Amino acid sequence: FLSPGRYAVPAAALFFVKDRDMVPLAIQLRPNDTSAIYTPVDNTDADWFLAKMFFNQIDIIAQSGYHFAETHVVMEPIGISARRNLASNHPVRGVIDKLFQNSNAIPIFGDETLFNTGGVFDRGASLQARGLTTFVLETALPEYHFAKSTFEGDLKNRGVDKLKYYPYSQDGREVKKLIDQLIDEYLDLYYEKDDILDDVEIQEFARELAEQLPGKGFPGAFDDLKELKAFLGEVMFIVTARHAAMNIRTVWQYGQYPFVPLTLVQPAPSTYPSFQSLDQLLPFLPNLTDTAASCFLTATFSIPFTRGVLLKEILSFPVLTKRSQCSADKFTSELEKLSTEINGRSPGSYKILDPESLPCNSFI
């Protein structure tokens, strides 16, 4: 599924965690090929840089696939199921409608612009769009399990839950804490402790999710209010913060040639090349036109969000009561404080989860 004249390899990286710091040990460019293992100690700086280029490229492809599988293919049908099972004035329906606002347009936009033959993705990346969709259908979706993909569960599964410096986890924990507080206060306004068992609409909603969604691990019923709160909090975090971290403002991460190239035009060396200078790596990089196409692809996903579609406005819908408006105002205020803290960091710092640009839905 590689475009003609473009290259990628199934590279893998080995990291080591010591004293809560994570450092790279080695990069293997080809599975089961010990002649293609690079380390920052055993190879020249240029060889190690080349290995990082090939690894970062395949990392982009993998992250794009997992992002598409989770935040779109799995999550978006939740919005459809809510419209099928929950009344328009149901408190959960209001939140979910806001989360999946405009989501029905995403497949059309993707088919016509991003993933069509010769479209933006084909022009800007080594892997063709049909290769990405194959990865989603054959690898990412079969692996997906909602109950194992909670915010904390995801960090733990990847071994990064206790790192000393990992801005996504640190900022993410603050955002997730505020989301959970909002959901807790909001649903307490509408449910008594055991009312959830008598809510036929919400139970049918849960049953349909477990039976019909492409992912695994969804609850087939909500046995108590705590389960509904946990479910809605995780969905809100995935659709807003996690989607933004994997997809929104990606120029910060992906638009930096030659460090993170979407396209490489020479195959990975079969043996140690022993390059002595970074200038010798230039033949691996695309020409100016193709580089511009890659930058355009990342810029497509990096349009800043404006008022009306931000996470801090998630509860701005008509059925709000005065009491729930108080919860919404508190949520907005706390997110603004977090935004001030994040923006007080030095230029170039990780700011992708800044609430001032964090959308309340997964539309790109």
Side-chain angles (χ1 to χ4, degrees):
F1 298 113
L2 295 177
S3 297
R6 297 182 179 182
Y7 299 88
V9 292
L14 180 65
F15 294 87
F16 178 69
V17 177
K18 181 180 180 181
D19 297 329
R20 296 172 59 207
D21 287 323
M22 186 170 70
V23 296
L25 291 184
I27 295 174
Q28 185 175 23
L29 293 187
R30 296 182 180 83
N32 304 317
D33 183 357
T34 57
S35 66
I37 297 178
Y38 294 75
T39 77
V41 176
D42 299 328
N43 299 100
T44 66
D45 289 345
D47 287 352
W48 177 239
F49 195 98
L50 178 68
K52 289 191 291 184
M53 284 168 53
F54 274 98
F55 173 76
N56 287 339
Q57 181 199 33
I58 203 68
D59 185 54
I60 294 172
I61 294 171
Q63 178 163 292
S64 298
Y66 285 115
H67 137 257
F68 186 58
E70 179 181 41
T71 64
H72 294 291
V73 179
V74 175
M75 288 290 114
E76 285 168 9
I78 293 176
I80 298 174
S81 181
R83 288 190 288 272
R84 285 163 50 89
N85 292 287
L86 305 179
S88 60
N89 62 348
H90 194 288
V92 174
R93 169 74 182 274
V95 175
I96 290 182
D97 278 354
K98 195 74 174 182
L99 287 174
F100 297 102
Q101 180 181 358
N102 300 322
S103 64
N104 288 343
I106 295 176
I108 299 173
F109 175 73
D111 287 345
E112 294 181 351
T113 306
L114 292 178
F115 305 122
N116 55 314
T117 301
V120 173
F121 199 91
D122 280 359
R123 296 196 305 272
S126 285
L127 183 72
Q128 293 178 341
R130 61 193 181 100
L132 180 64
T133 55
T134 299
F135 173 77
V136 169
L137 295 174
E138 296 183 0
T139 301
L141 278 178
E143 290 181 2
Y144 186 76
H145 193 286
F146 178 77
K148 298 178 182 178
S149 300
T150 62
F151 172 67
E152 290 294 343
D154 169 63
L155 295 175
K156 187 173 182 178
N157 290 338
R158 295 190 288 119
V160 294
D161 55 316
K162 297 179 180 180
L163 293 182
K164 190 184 304 179
Y165 178 75
Y166 186 30
Y168 167 74
S169 69
Q170 293 151 357
D171 293 347
R173 283 191 174 103
E174 293 301 315
V175 173
K176 182 62 165 56
K177 180 179 69 175
L178 294 177
I179 286 175
D180 288 343
Q181 290 174 354
L182 174 70
I183 295 299
D184 184 66
E185 293 179 8
Y186 175 69
L187 290 182
D188 279 347
L189 297 174
Y190 296 93
Y191 287 101
E192 296 293 339
K193 184 175 181 181
D194 297 324
D195 283 355
I196 190 76
L197 298 174
D198 299 324
D199 188 339
V200 177
E201 293 180 8
I202 203 70
Q203 297 299 343
E204 185 63 19
F205 172 62
R207 182 197 64 78
E208 185 170 276
L209 295 184
E211 293 181 359
Q212 301 295 329
L213 286 189
K216 301 181 289 291
F218 287 91
F222 297 116
D223 295 328
D224 54 39
L225 184 56
K226 183 179 179 181
E227 288 189 1
L228 176 59
K229 290 177 178 178
F231 166 80
L232 195 56
E234 293 296 343
V235 169
M236 185 181 292
F237 183 85
I238 290 170
V239 173
T240 61
R242 187 179 294 172
H243 177 263
M246 293 194 291
N247 191 68
I248 304 298
R249 295 174 67 183
T250 47
V251 165
W252 186 91
Q253 186 174 5
Y254 295 164
Q256 304 180 40
Y257 274 86
F259 304 102
V260 190
L262 281 170
T263 301
L264 292 168
V265 296
Q266 294 286 341
S270 56
T271 59
Y272 293 136
S274 294
F275 288 124
Q276 300 301 315
S277 168
L278 294 179
D279 292 344
Q280 294 175 280
L281 305 184
L282 289 176
F284 289 89
L285 300 174
N287 59 34
L288 183 59
T289 300
D290 290 341
T291 299
S294 295
C295 292
F296 177 78
L297 176 58
T298 58
T300 301
F301 295 94
S302 302
I303 300 172
F305 284 81
T306 56
R307 186 173 180 82
V309 292
L310 298 177
L311 174 60
K312 66 181 184 180
E313 299 163 319
I314 187 68
L315 290 189
S316 58
F317 47 83
V319 300
L320 280 186
T321 64
K322 289 184 178 179
R323 289 191 300 168
S324 52
Q325 185 63 57
C326 290
S327 296
D329 292 343
K330 177 182 175 182
F331 181 64
T332 299
S333 176
E334 292 299 321
L335 284 176
E336 289 174 348
K337 291 179 184 178
L338 177 59
S339 177
T340 300
E341 177 186 334
I342 291 175
N343 280 293
R345 297 171 186 165
S346 60
S349 299
Y350 184 91
K351 299 179 182 179
I352 287 180
L353 296 188
D354 173 15
E356 282 301 316
S357 60
L358 202 57
C360 66
N361 55 55
S362 60
F363 191 72
I364 59 174

